[in-house]
């Protein structure tokens, strides 16, 4: 028995007996991955500044007449332009309107009589049976009544306008943010009734340091982030008037279509360029693998094998991140499946990999 053991041991040492296939380490199978080509892009360093979502139309709507408030829209009510926000008691004004209308009818009747009297005096004067003084007196009375009628009509129209103004109307479509007068309180011209905000016309406003003003232009794209949601917006206004104490100026950014429902007052981080843009190599952010020992990515060579490349990241714009390292324009970088790849592993390109 000892001789059999010695023979087997010697055979293993000189390779005369082969190990079973299961005991040999097989190469890893080809990994199915999705790739995105690295590209040259114009990028600039980004400075993150705080901003807020603001409405382009935000107004404290005031009353135009005096009176007791009979109704005010509830906070949160959505209104269209021209809809009622509040109503003021108009009963006294309507009584005044009836008074002026009665006065107008009386003056119209008197004026009709006086015009007939003027015609009669004119005919008598032509026949020589009336004096010129009588004719002038009739003409003067007719003119006075005509002016009285004009004044009464103007007073009637002014009262009708005041009655119309007892309904405080929305100057634009929006949502009632706050009621400043309650039912039963007394209003007067200029007294604020309600705050109206156009919630579907919002923009981002941020204060930027004056040192980066030369790198900003209207129409340029900037990054926005609110409550973990990242998007892009365009600079619509640069208010080139800096504050002496803070050394900042205001920048306004339009939100992209479909994201106009951000709540007014939300805090936003705005990424503004802080230097002149330069042409750099950029990869899709999904290509980056972050580990404790650094950041790397995998690129696929001509033989469809994975090559691990250590990189350093820089400026980012949207989904694209500047990288420095052995990465060049056109290199195929793995954007899906990189976490399971190994150096030199065969890969199979599959755009459906998720």
């Amino acid at each position: 028995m000892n001789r059999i053991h010695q023979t087997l041991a010697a055979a293993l040492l000189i390779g005369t007996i082969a190990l079973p296939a299961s005991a040999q380490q097989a190469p890893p199978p080809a990994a199915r991955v999705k790739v995105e080509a690295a590209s040259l892009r114009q990028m600039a360093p980004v400075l993150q500044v705080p901003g807020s979502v603001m409405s382009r139309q935000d107004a404290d709507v005031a009353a135009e007449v005096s009176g007791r408030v009979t109704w005010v829209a509830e906070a949160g009510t959505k209104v269209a332009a021209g809809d009622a926000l509040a109503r003021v008691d108009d009963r006294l004004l309507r009584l005044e309107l009836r008074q002026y209308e009665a006065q107008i009818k009386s003056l119209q009747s008197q004026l009709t009589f006086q015009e007939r009297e003027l015609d009669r005096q004119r005919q008598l004067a032509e026949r020589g049976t009336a004096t010129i003084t009588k004719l002038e007196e009739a003409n003067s009375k007719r003119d006075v009544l005509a002016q009285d009628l004009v004044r009464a009509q103007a007073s009637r129209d002014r009262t009708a306008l005041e009655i119309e103004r007892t309904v405080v109307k929305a100057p634009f479509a929006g949502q009632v943010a706050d009621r400043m007068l309650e039912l039963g309180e007394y209003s007067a011209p200029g007294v604020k009734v309600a705050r109206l905000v156009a919630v579907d016309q919002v923009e981002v406003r941020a204060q930027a340091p004056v040192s980066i003003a030369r790198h900003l232009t209207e129409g340029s794209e900037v990054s926005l982030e609110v409550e973990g949601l990242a998007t892009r917006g365009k600079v619509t206004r640069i208010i080139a008037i800096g504050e002496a104490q803070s050394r900042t100026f205001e920048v306004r950014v339009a939100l992209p279509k479909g994201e106009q429902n951000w709540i007014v007052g939300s805090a936003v981080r705005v990424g503004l360029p802080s230097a002149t843009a330069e042409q750099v190599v950029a990869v899709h952010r999904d290509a980056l693998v972050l580990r404790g020992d650094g950041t790397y990515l995998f690129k696929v060579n001509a033989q469809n094998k994975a090559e691990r490349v250590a990189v350093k990241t820089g400026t980012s714009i949207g989904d694209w991140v500047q990288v420095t390292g052995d990465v060049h324009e056109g290199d195929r970088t793995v954007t899906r499946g990189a976490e399971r790849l190994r150096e030199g592993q065969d890969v199979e390109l599959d755009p459906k990999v998720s």
Side-chain angles (χ1 to χ4, degrees):
M1 183 65 68
N2 289 337
R3 179 172 293 181
I4 294 174
H5 288 169
Q6 292 174 357
T7 303
L8 289 173
L12 288 172
L13 289 174
I14 62 176
T16 56
I17 296 179
L19 291 173
S22 60
Q24 298 178 1
Q25 185 175 5
R32 304 182 73 179
V33 299
K34 183 178 180 180
V35 297
E36 185 86 33
S39 62
L40 294 177
R41 293 175 177 262
Q42 290 288 333
M43 289 186 172
V46 173
L47 176 67
Q48 298 290 336
V49 300
S52 299
V53 177
M54 306 289 287
S55 174
R56 290 194 291 272
Q57 292 184 302
D58 187 333
D60 292 336
V61 185
E64 297 183 77
V65 297
S66 299
R68 185 175 58 84
V69 176
T70 60
W71 176 81
V72 183
E74 293 284 348
T77 303
K78 292 183 178 180
V79 295
D83 285 355
L85 291 177
R87 291 188 176 91
V88 177
D89 189 355
D90 63 354
R91 288 176 296 175
L92 286 177
L93 290 172
R94 291 193 179 278
L95 290 175
E96 285 185 17
L97 183 64
R98 290 173 58 187
Q99 180 180 348
Y100 285 127
E101 287 174 343
Q103 183 180 357
I104 288 170
K105 289 181 179 180
S106 175
L107 289 169
Q108 286 173 336
S109 178
Q110 294 179 52
L111 183 60
T112 299
F113 172 80
Q114 190 60 38
E115 285 178 343
R116 288 198 300 265
E117 177 64 16
L118 178 61
D119 288 339
R120 189 176 70 85
Q121 291 295 332
R122 188 180 294 114
Q123 292 172 4
L124 291 175
E126 290 174 352
R127 291 197 298 267
T129 57
T131 63
I132 297 299
T133 301
K134 289 285 186 181
L135 177 62
E136 290 178 347
E137 183 180 349
N139 187 66
S140 176
K141 287 183 178 180
R142 193 276 312 268
D143 290 344
V144 170
L145 286 171
Q147 294 303 316
D148 288 344
L149 178 60
V150 170
R151 283 193 290 270
Q153 289 172 334
S155 296
R156 177 201 60 189
D157 294 343
R158 183 177 62 250
T159 302
L161 179 60
E162 288 184 352
I163 291 174
E164 182 181 338
R165 288 178 173 175
T166 59
V167 179
V168 182
K169 297 181 180 180
F172 51 83
Q175 190 170 20
V176 178
D178 188 21
R179 298 201 315 181
M180 300 175 180
L181 283 182
E182 296 295 334
L183 182 67
E185 292 186 305
Y186 195 82
S187 76
V191 173
K192 298 175 182 178
V193 175
R195 179 188 173 200
L196 183 65
V197 180
V199 294
D200 59 345
Q201 299 184 39
V202 297
E203 64 184 0
V204 173
R205 298 180 187 177
Q207 294 296 123
V210 296
S211 58
I212 70 170
R214 63 182 182 276
H215 305 299
L216 276 176
T217 57
E218 292 184 359
S220 59
E221 283 196 353
V222 296
S223 62
L224 302 172
E225 183 179 348
V226 56
E227 297 181 358
L229 176 63
T231 186
R232 306 284 297 173
K234 284 189 177 181
V235 176
T236 56
R237 290 288 185 274
I238 296 175
I239 315 300
I241 303 172
E243 295 184 4
Q245 293 183 343
S246 63
R247 306 297 183 189
T248 60
F249 64 100
E250 185 175 296
V251 179
R252 299 186 181 185
V253 183
L255 294 173
K257 292 182 179 179
E259 296 181 5
Q260 296 289 321
N261 57 348
W262 287 8
I263 295 179
V264 174
S266 297
V268 184
R269 290 181 61 82
V270 185
L272 302 176
S274 59
T276 304
E278 297 180 351
Q279 193 174 59
V280 298
V281 176
V283 299
H284 196 280
R285 65 173 64 254
D286 290 340
L288 300 174
V289 180
L290 308 179
R291 292 291 183 267
D293 58 347
T295 303
Y296 64 89
L297 56 78
F298 281 98
K299 62 182 183 180
V300 179
N301 61 23
Q303 290 75 38
N304 281 350
K305 291 184 179 294
E307 295 182 5
R308 174 170 163 163
V309 180
V311 295
K312 292 183 178 181
T313 59
T315 303
S316 63
I317 296 181
D319 289 331
W320 293 87
V321 182
Q322 174 190 0
V323 293
T324 55
D326 188 18
V327 183
H328 307 281
E329 180 186 14
D331 283 351
R332 297 180 296 174
T333 60
V334 178
T335 57
R336 291 291 186 274
E339 294 80 3
R340 299 181 297 273
L341 278 180
R342 284 182 278 177
E343 174 71 26
Q345 185 176 357
D346 291 330
V347 298
E348 179 182 346
L349 305 186
D350 186 352
K352 296 182 181 181
V353 169
S354 59

